[in-house]
Amino acid sequence: MKTFAFSLFTVILILFFQSIAFSQDDAVRMFISTELKGDPAQMPEAEELRPGDAVYFVVKVNYKFTLGDLASTDPKTGKKNIYVCFDMNSYKVGEVCTGILKSPVSEQDLAAKSAVLTLVPATNDMNAGNIDFIRKMLDMIDSKLGQDFDLRITYKNYDNQKSASFKAPFSMTNYDKSRWYEYNRMFVNQETSAQTQKELATTTVPQAAMHDPALERQLLAAAQDLFGSTNKIYKAVFISRDWTYGKNEFGILMSRDAYVAIMRKETATGDCFVDQRLYAKQEFLTGNNWASLKLWWRENRPSLLHINCDKFIGFK
């Protein structure tokens, strides 16, 4: 089985070894491991990566060199570290770059011969030291939708603009039954809960931007018909200030539409919402006559917000 190690031989030659003879061993090795040890230099290279594994990125240097020889200063932050970027061509999360050494980086860290960065810990730890980075890694993995992928890993030196890359293949067989999936769900649920609490504290009932009692009655009935018996519709309002009129290629009036907000309660859960994912549309008939109002889903379906049900008190 192919391992994932690579040598920065060419880069290191340019950076440090211009007049030094080499042995057959690599001056620098960077690789993926699934076994954490107290001394990163003793961690074995992984031969395969499967859903649920712990995943670690390891860097080791040989000869008289130290990790400090790989460090550079990020011009955006002014911080010195060994910078590595991870990219799996994810539609959801782009390239994620981080420093391998814990911040603030000490002289002892720079003098060491090896270091390890946790990509996915061995347990579903929600309070790991580099939790923000771990969250992004899990999000990237989840976005691959169960498909095998190559994780591209790039070492970057900001001081001299040198870099070197290698790829680590990830198997995603049975991902949806794995610890990786469960770990990611824990973050998703935590973030969803936090967002819900924020919405409950801040969402208010929107005011109608235009009034037409007859059309508002049609809107209310259309909303109840759409959501059915699983929802109680408290109120429905137009949030567009005016209608948008649609014409055909000959300039003939065909329809009009406007955005709406539906105040509703899901009877099964007791959750209340301000739902702004719909728009109302009427087909033009003749003169001042329009067909009955119908509701359609907006293409990007924005703004489904939780609201405290007490804010519906007084509505029918």
Side-chain angles (χ1 to χ4, degrees), residues 45-276:
E45 299 173 17
E47 293 191 348
E48 63 177 332
L49 294 169
R50 297 167 298 182
D53 285 344
V55 185
Y56 306 98
F57 177 75
V58 182
V59 56
K60 301 194 300 185
V61 295
N62 294 326
Y63 310 111
K64 67 179 181 179
F65 302 100
T66 65
L67 295 180
D69 295 314
L70 296 174
S72 63
T73 301
D74 185 341
K76 294 181 180 179
T77 64
K79 294 182 179 180
K80 188 174 184 178
N81 211 315
I82 300 173
Y83 290 101
V84 179
C85 297
F86 301 85
D87 188 359
M88 60 182 66
N89 193 28
S90 165
Y91 77 94
K92 191 173 183 181
V93 181
E95 184 181 60
V96 178
C97 300
T98 189
I100 294 176
L101 305 176
K102 292 182 179 180
S103 184
V105 177
S106 67
E107 290 301 321
Q108 182 178 0
D109 295 330
L110 295 173
K113 306 286 283 187
S114 62
V116 59
L117 172 70
T118 299
L119 306 189
V120 181
T123 62
N124 295 353
D125 185 358
M126 301 293 287
N127 299 295
N130 61 332
I131 196 65
D132 291 340
F133 171 79
I134 291 170
R135 175 70 187 101
K136 291 178 181 178
M137 290 299 302
L138 290 169
D139 217 15
M140 290 170 70
I141 291 171
D142 189 72
S143 71
K144 301 309 289 185
L145 303 175
Q147 299 178 353
D148 295 351
F149 64 89
D150 288 335
L151 175 64
R152 181 180 177 86
I153 304 172
T154 303
Y155 160 77
K156 293 187 176 183
N157 189 301
Y158 290 106
D159 293 341
N160 54 29
Q161 305 303 309
K162 301 297 182 181
S163 64
S165 299
F166 73 108
K167 293 181 179 179
F170 276 58
S171 168
M172 293 290 281
T173 303
N174 295 322
Y175 165 71
D176 57 347
K177 300 177 182 177
S178 72
R179 185 180 65 86
W180 288 354
Y181 178 83
E182 293 174 357
Y183 196 6
N184 189 63
R185 291 303 98 189
M186 291 172 65
F187 281 101
V188 170
N189 292 339
Q190 183 184 71
E191 291 158 5
T192 299
S193 178
Q195 178 62 27
T196 297
Q197 293 305 314
K198 179 179 179 181
E199 291 173 6
L200 287 171
T202 60
T203 304
T204 58
V205 176
Q207 299 299 309
M210 62 177 177
H211 289 284
D212 185 317
L215 283 177
E216 287 170 2
R217 287 192 294 270
Q218 286 190 40
L219 175 58
L220 193 64
Q224 188 65 73
D225 183 61
L226 176 67
F227 289 102
S229 60
T230 60
N231 280 256
K232 177 177 175 56
I233 308 302
Y234 283 90
K235 189 175 183 180
V237 297
F238 294 96
I239 55 176
S240 295
R241 293 186 178 278
D242 203 349
W243 292 98
T244 298
Y245 293 90
K247 298 180 180 181
N248 66 14
E249 63 271 26
F250 304 107
I252 299 173
L253 180 63
M254 301 296 292
S255 64
R256 65 180 182 180
D257 55 71
Y259 293 139
V260 299
I262 311 298
M263 275 57 75
R264 62 183 179 86
K265 179 178 182 178
E266 292 185 350
T267 54
T269 64
D271 294 331
C272 291
F273 298 94
V274 173
D275 197 335
Q276 299 184 50

